[in-house]
Amino acid sequence: MQRVKFSVGLVLLCVLPMWIGSSNGCFAEDGGQLKLHLEQKLITAAAGCAQIPCGFTDLPTTFMAREIWFKGSPASPLSPEEVEKKNGLSRPLSTLKECSIILWDLIGLDRTEEYGFMLKLATNETHIFPETVQVSYSAVKMNISLSSDIIVATKMTLLTCSLSDLCLASDPKITWKGLRSKQYFPLRYRLKEDNVLKYYENLHYSPVSEDHQTEITCEVTFGKNLTASATVTLTVHSEPQILNSSACTRQQDLLTCVCVSQGVPLPDIHWPLLKGKRDFTTVRASDGHMTVNSTFMITAEDFGRIGTVICIGTNELGQANMTLPVIFEGNPDQSNELPVTFEGNPDPDTK
Ligand SMILES: *[C@@H]1O[C@H](CO)[C@@H](O)[C@H](O)[C@H]1NC(C)=O
Ligand SMILES: *[C@@H]1O[C@H](CO)[C@@H](O)[C@H](O)[C@H]1NC(C)=O
Ligand SMILES: *[C@@H]1O[C@H](CO)[C@@H](O)[C@H](O)[C@H]1NC(C)=O
Ligand SMILES: *[C@@H]1O[C@H](CO)[C@@H](O)[C@H](O)[C@H]1NC(C)=O
Ligand SMILES: *[C@@H]1O[C@H](CO)[C@@H](O)[C@H](O)[C@H]1NC(C)=O
Ligand SMILES: *[C@@H]1O[C@H](CO)[C@@H](O)[C@H](O)[C@H]1NC(C)=O
């Protein structure tokens, strides 16, 4: 009985100030004002969510139908997906009922939004509190870095992915993309820097030469359903290799020798056994990244005198060499007899 009377009294007092923007609000039975207590008027959201501590004058449950948060105007109530009721965010205030919430998945352009709170009373009337809270939020900030700008193939390097820490110290899930070779178990930790808590994930990685100019991405999923990523392009130095596509091709009386070498920085190619040879010119071609070709032509007669052709690739990390095989183009029958001339006989003139 007492409750019903209370209810009627309050409702009557509520009607006037309700939609006219008055800050007086409703009055409870004892004559006290219906109050909303927002501990902070301006809240900076962590990546993925914002927490709004809130309390309001407790009312008998028979009185109240619903607590509703809205964005901007009461005409835009927040959906249950956007807002989660969360007790314990507000300092306990004995006369107040907690209306704290978490707003999820705030992301996008840097901006500030205004949020307000209203009560739907059992009488179908609405009480809108005049107090509002501003929430500013910005895109999650992420970095990916390497222990040094230039890394060396097969040498262990440290990849670091960092992000401004996420809402509620949630455990972000980080995925590394683009890594080719074996990865070692990642190390995760948090550090406070310039008053911002940051989350770090370190990965030991041993790059392969093919990783040169590969994009490595660190992708994080957080909040309810958000992702962000950071990307770095690797510069991987590697020793020269002579590729197996290197060969001398014989067409009638002429051989075309191609040495294909790979390495970063780009290798220089030398043909040591051709030193002093008069009509010897090479053509150098490169894909600009890590492969370089050196080509020259030699008569079958000259080739016969040298016996074998070696090419050497050199860069600051080392060198590689290869004795080039001879391919007989268009006349496979010769394959069986001619190699004897070049490889088996140290003095071709004795043939
Ligand atoms: C409130 O509105 C609902 C539906 O619009 C109605 O069924 C109910 O009777 C109303 N209650 C009061 C107290 O007016
Ligand atoms: C990312 O790098 C920038 C510039 O180096 C720095 O100002 C920022 O704090 C870094 N952010 C994170 C999350 O590490
Ligand atoms: C997560 O977000 C993506 C893209 O933003 C959307 O397509 C997908 O439906 C969302 N999933 C859930 C479970 O909300
Ligand atoms: C060339 O081929 C040989 C034998 O098949 C192989 O052992 C070697 O690793 C290859 N070299 C390169 C650079 O691919
Ligand atoms: C180098 O030679 C290889 C094999 O002959 C060829 O596939 C490649 O296109 C050449 N690269 C350049 C830059 O000429
Ligand atoms: C070719 O490489 C081998 C092994 O790396 C080395 O022992 C040899 O001296 C090199 N030959 C030339 C001509 O550089």
Side-chain angles (χ1 to χ4, degrees):
M1 278 322 233
Q2 193 57 29
R3 290 220 159 167
V4 174
K5 266 165 85 187
F6 181 95
S7 155
V8 169
L10 182 107
V11 169
L12 286 172
L13 287 165
C14 255
V15 174
L16 244 174
M18 196 166 56
W19 283 105
I20 57 176
S22 156
S23 62
N24 290 333
C26 293
F27 293 91
E29 188 193 33
D30 61 1
Q33 207 174 338
L34 251 188
K35 274 185 297 202
L36 183 70
H37 177 73
L38 295 168
E39 277 166 37
Q40 294 161 270
K41 293 287 188 279
L42 179 64
I43 291 171
T44 306
C49 81
Q51 303 174 66
I52 305 180
C54 161
F56 69 102
T57 311
D58 201 4
L59 295 173
T61 45
T62 49
F63 227 139
M64 254 189 33
R66 271 191 301 149
E67 302 167 21
I68 300 166
W69 279 91
F70 57 86
K71 180 162 94 176
S73 100
S76 313
L78 295 175
S79 69
E81 291 77 46
E82 296 171 288
V83 54
E84 176 185 321
K85 260 188 81 79
K86 179 86 179 177
N87 285 335
L89 298 182
S90 183
R91 264 176 279 126
L93 296 160
S94 57
T95 60
L96 298 184
K97 182 177 183 214
E98 186 154 9
C99 48
S100 305
I101 51 165
I102 299 173
L103 297 173
W104 283 105
D105 285 7
L106 302 176
I107 203 167
L109 301 174
D110 293 8
R111 64 195 192 278
T112 300
E113 301 278 9
E114 187 176 47
Y115 294 90
F117 184 63
M118 59 187 175
L119 295 176
K120 204 128 210 168
L121 302 176
T123 53
N124 286 348
E125 286 166 298
T126 308
H127 177 70
I128 302 158
F129 290 97
E131 297 89 352
T132 57
V133 59
Q134 310 277 325
V135 177
S136 74
Y137 42 99
S138 52
V140 58
K141 294 191 177 55
M142 279 186 84
N143 288 336
I144 181 168
S145 62
L146 299 156
S147 47
S148 66
D149 288 343
I150 293 169
I151 57 181
V152 177
T154 74
K155 295 262 189 322
M156 197 66 87
T157 190
L158 192 65
L159 291 165
T160 303
C161 184
S162 62
L163 48 131
S164 45
D165 205 19
L166 305 174
C167 192
L168 302 173
S170 59
D171 267 330
K173 302 270 177 303
I174 287 183
T175 313
W176 294 85
K177 293 184 173 164
L179 298 174
R180 237 178 270 246
S181 72
K182 186 171 161 62
Q183 304 157 35
Y184 296 87
F185 198 72
L187 178 70
R188 308 181 175 98
Y189 56 95
R190 288 183 157 86
L191 262 190
K192 198 157 196 167
E193 280 174 5
D194 309 326
N195 248 358
V196 178
L197 189 65
K198 289 185 183 170
Y199 179 88
Y200 284 85
E201 187 163 309
N202 280 348
L203 195 71
H204 289 280
Y205 182 62
S206 178
V208 294
S209 55
E210 289 79 10
D211 282 327
H212 184 56
Q213 306 214 319
T214 295
E215 284 193 338
I216 303 297
T217 298
C218 140
E219 187 178 284
V220 61
T221 60
F222 60 100
K224 292 260 190 235
N225 184 27
L226 295 176
T227 62
S229 65
T231 296
V232 68
T233 303
L234 301 183
T235 300
V236 182
H237 280 192
S238 56
E239 280 183 31
Q241 276 180 293
I242 309 291
L243 300 191
N244 284 338
S245 49
S246 304
C248 291
T249 307
R250 181 170 176 168
Q251 290 165 299
Q252 285 144 9
D253 289 335
L254 206 58
L255 282 99
T256 304
C257 296
V258 182
C259 183
V260 185
S261 180
Q262 218 168 57
V264 181
L266 277 176
D268 287 323
I269 295 180
H270 307 278
W271 304 90
L273 299 182
L274 294 169
K275 262 183 198 138
K277 190 95 186 74
R278 279 154 294 142
D279 49 357
F280 160 52
T281 54
T282 62
V283 179
R284 187 180 157 98
S286 168
D287 66 354
H289 298 311
M290 56 187 307
T291 307
V292 60
N293 289 6
S294 178
T295 307
F296 76 93
M297 313 259 259
I298 185 172
T299 60
E301 192 190 346
D302 281 345
F303 184 84
R305 251 174 241 131
I306 299 162
T308 56
V309 170
I310 292 179
C311 82
I312 302 179
T314 315
N315 73 8
E316 60 195 43
L317 292 184
Q319 65 158 258
N321 65 57
M322 185 177 181
T323 302
L324 301 191
V326 180
I327 299 162
F328 295 86
E329 202 162 76
N331 192 354
D333 289 351
Q334 292 188 316
S335 310
N336 294 331
E337 70 187 72
L338 278 175
V340 178
T341 308
F342 302 124
E343 289 171 10
N345 194 332
D347 182 4
D349 291 333
T350 65
K351 190 190 170 193

